[in-house]
């Protein structure tokens, strides 16, 4: 009675050939996952700025028309500040609003692996800073509180990202020697705050300290009788989420999909060529199995089990290689640049497995052709 065909015997006896294929499959999986990981570092790093900070602070630069001032009327220069202060008084009396004021703002820059972003932070009097820090959940971890013109507190991640320290000029290439870092703060939202220095700024805004329920400034303003128009500049939770989706998420995921597709095509071609050669070299072996009584179905099953072992081992090697690669990148590149990463992306794992499954499906063509053409030794002699 003949025993079953062993799927592991050929692999054990042809370690070099199988090892090369396993290495190739493992490195391909690792390359796909690590490339996605690097792209997603941008999305992960921007999350505190786009998703957390706007839950607590909103900025609005409103037109005179939105404030209820008709520009054709006389005495506009006096009417606009009065209308603005009226809105601020209404905001302060609204539940969910901790404070509101009209102030200068500066921009903090943050560079990710791919792309960069900027966001506002307020320049206020010294007595307003403790309230702001408490509201955004920030604590001073190094240096001193601002007490003079142009002194600012900056989040530790932003400082690391920009290569700055206490005592350095903040974004000197943009602002010159205007804003000096006097303290380091830490929070969940990369908040910064400082004191003005003359009129060096990136604009004047109504700055509103809100809770998450009232972080939609448009909705908040409408509840007070103001109709926000397209001419108004509003940076609130709605706008930041929209910007993240269009400027970050869609771009990152589109690039990731293209890279996955390109890698899959090259992998499919390479594996297809390798496997065709693999099968051709074993035609006589398959014919011998048929000659001693094994059916084509049994030979096909053996080939598929061999493929399962090779692909499964390749995927395992790829997972281990991915973990090692991400750990090294985190230690040597991501963390030193003040960036944020995540290691687990189920969607990418699913996409990679689907790509490998598609390749296995494609390989059925040469495998079935090979199995169908198997003949016994006596027929081969004829």
């Amino acid at each position: 009675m003949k025993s079953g065909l062993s799927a592991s015997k050929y692999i054990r006896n042809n370690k070099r050939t199988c090892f090369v294929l396993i290495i190739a499959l493992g490195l391909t999986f690792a390359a796909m996952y690590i490339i996605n990981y690097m792209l997603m570092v941008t999305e992960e790093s921007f999350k505190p700025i786009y998703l957390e900070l706007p839950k607590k602070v909103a900025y609005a630069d409103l037109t005179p028309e939105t404030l209820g001032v008709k520009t054709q009327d006389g005495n506009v220069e006096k009417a606009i500040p009065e209308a603005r202060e009226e809105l601020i008084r209404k905001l302060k009396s609204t539940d969910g609003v901790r404070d509101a004021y009209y102030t200068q703002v500066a921009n903090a820059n943050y560079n990710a692996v791919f792309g960069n972003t900027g966001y506002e932070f307020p320049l206020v009097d010294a007595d307003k800073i403790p309230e702001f820090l408490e509201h955004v959940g920030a604590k001073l971890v190094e240096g001193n509180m601002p007490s003079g013109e142009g002194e600012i507190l900056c989040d530790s991640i932003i400082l690391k990202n920009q290569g700055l320290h206490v005592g350095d000029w903040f974004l000197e290439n943009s602002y010159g020697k205007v804003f000096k870092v006097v303290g380091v703060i830490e929070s969940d939202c990369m908040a910064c705050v400082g004191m003005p220095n003359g009129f060096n700024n990136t604009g004047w805004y109504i700055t509103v300290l809100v809770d998450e329920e009232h972080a939609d400034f448009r909705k908040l303003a409408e509840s007070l009788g103001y109709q926000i128009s397209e001419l108004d500049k509003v940076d609130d939770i709605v706008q930041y989420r929209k910007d993240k989706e269009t400027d970050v998420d869609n771009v990152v995921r589109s690039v990731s999909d293209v890279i996955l597709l390109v890698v899959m095509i090259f992998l499919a071609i390479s594996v297809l060529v390798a496997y065709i050669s693999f099968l051709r070299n074993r035609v006589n072996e398959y014919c011998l199995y048929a000659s001693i009584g094994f059916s084509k179905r049994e030979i096909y099953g053996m080939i598929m089990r061999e493929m399962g072992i090779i692909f499964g081992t390749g995927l395992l090697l790829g997972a281990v290689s991915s973990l090692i690669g991400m750990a090294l990148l985190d230690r040597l590149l991501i963390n030193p640049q003040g960036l944020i990463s995540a290691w687990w992306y189920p969607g990418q794992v699913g996409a990679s497995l689907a790509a490998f499954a598609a390749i296995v499906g494609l390989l059925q063509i040469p495998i079935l052709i090979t199995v169908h053409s198997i003949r016994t030794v006596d027929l081969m002699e004829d």
Side-chain angles (χ1 to χ4, degrees):
M1 181 177 179
K2 66 181 188 299
S3 60
L5 290 172
S6 172
S8 60
K9 186 178 295 183
Y10 178 84
I11 296 174
R12 288 197 304 268
N13 294 333
N14 295 270
K15 294 184 179 67
R16 179 176 297 179
T17 301
C18 297
F19 183 70
V20 170
L21 191 54
I22 289 170
I23 290 292
L25 291 170
L27 292 180
T28 301
F29 178 88
M32 287 192 291
Y33 197 85
I34 290 175
I35 289 171
N36 178 77
Y37 155 84
M38 291 295 292
L39 288 169
M40 293 301 290
V41 165
T42 296
E43 187 174 328
E44 294 294 333
S45 297
F46 286 171
K47 279 182 179 179
I49 296 170
Y50 283 89
L51 300 182
E52 297 304 321
L53 189 56
K55 292 179 182 178
K56 301 173 182 180
V57 188
Y59 298 91
D61 180 16
L62 306 180
T63 62
E65 289 75 14
T66 300
L67 292 171
V69 177
K70 296 180 179 180
T71 54
Q72 62 269 29
D73 294 344
N75 210 15
V76 173
E77 291 183 0
K78 180 180 178 182
I80 291 176
E82 289 178 350
R84 187 186 299 118
E85 287 304 315
E86 176 63 21
L87 170 58
I88 289 174
R89 283 193 292 271
K90 290 180 179 179
L91 288 168
K92 288 182 176 180
S93 63
T94 303
D95 291 339
V97 176
R98 179 168 185 167
D99 202 354
Y101 35 76
Y102 185 62
T103 187
Q104 299 179 66
V105 302
N107 270 12
N109 288 344
Y110 186 60
N111 302 315
V113 175
F114 301 97
N116 60 76
T117 190
Y119 61 99
E120 304 98 338
F121 66 88
L123 301 172
V124 297
D125 294 335
D127 60 349
K128 291 283 188 183
I129 293 177
E131 177 193 50
F132 181 86
L133 295 180
E134 181 183 351
H135 180 72
V136 299
K139 60 180 180 179
L140 182 68
V141 296
E142 182 184 347
N144 305 302
M145 294 288 287
S147 59
E149 291 184 347
E151 295 184 347
I152 67 169
L153 301 175
C154 196
D155 188 272
S156 59
I157 293 178
I158 297 297
L159 291 178
K160 185 186 292 186
N161 183 257
Q162 296 294 318
L164 298 174
H165 305 86
V166 171
D168 290 342
W169 295 106
F170 182 73
L171 299 184
E172 186 175 353
N173 291 336
S174 299
Y175 294 110
K177 295 182 178 181
V178 174
F179 299 112
K180 178 173 285 189
V181 179
V182 297
V184 182
I185 56 177
E186 290 183 349
S187 68
D188 294 331
C189 54
M190 297 189 193
C192 299
V193 66
M195 297 180 64
N197 187 357
F199 294 100
N200 296 280
N201 58 63
T202 52
W204 288 76
Y205 288 79
I206 297 174
T207 301
V208 191
L209 307 186
V210 294
D211 60 20
E212 185 175 354
E213 183 180 350
H214 298 83
D216 183 345
F217 182 84
R218 290 172 174 80
K219 184 177 179 182
L220 179 61
E222 288 173 3
S223 71
L224 299 176
Y226 296 86
Q227 189 65 41
I228 303 298
S229 74
E230 293 183 356
L231 298 177
D232 298 308
K233 180 172 174 53
V234 174
D235 286 329
D236 62 356
I237 193 167
V238 175
Q239 187 61 48
Y240 269 100
R241 285 175 176 172
K242 186 184 299 183
D243 290 343
K244 181 178 182 295
E245 181 177 355
T246 57
D247 298 340
V248 181
D249 297 355
N250 291 345
V251 174
V252 168
R253 289 166 190 172
S254 296
V255 173
S256 180
D257 289 343
V258 170
I259 291 174
L260 177 62
L261 178 61
V262 171
V263 172
M264 180 181 170
I265 291 172
F266 277 101
L267 176 64
I269 294 172
S270 301
V271 173
L272 186 61
V273 171
Y275 243 89
I276 290 175
S277 176
F278 185 75
L279 293 170
R280 282 179 177 174
N281 292 335
R282 300 181 64 190
V283 169
N284 291 338
E285 177 189 344
Y286 298 149
C287 290
L288 180 60
Y289 290 148
S291 299
I292 61 178
F294 288 103
S295 68
K296 291 183 178 181
R297 182 185 295 275
E298 290 173 309
I299 296 172
Y300 173 79
M302 178 196 69
I303 295 172
M304 291 305 299
R305 290 195 298 275
E306 288 175 353
M307 183 183 293
I309 293 172
I310 291 172
F311 272 70
T313 306
L315 288 172
L316 180 60
L317 176 64
V320 174
S321 299
S322 297
L323 290 173
I324 295 172
M326 289 186 295
L328 290 173
L329 286 170
D330 259 7
R331 183 177 182 85
L332 301 176
L333 176 64
I334 305 303
N335 290 334
Q337 293 297 318
L339 301 175
I340 301 170
S341 66
W343 289 17
W344 175 238
Y345 294 103
Q348 180 61 29
V349 172
S352 298
L353 292 176
F356 274 60
I359 292 168
V360 170
L362 183 63
L363 288 173
Q364 297 305 300
I365 297 173
I367 290 174
L368 290 174
I369 291 174
T370 300
V371 171
H372 180 72
S373 63
I374 291 174
R375 297 189 299 173
T376 57
V377 173
D378 58 326
L379 290 177
M380 288 175 65
E381 293 175 349
D382 291 340

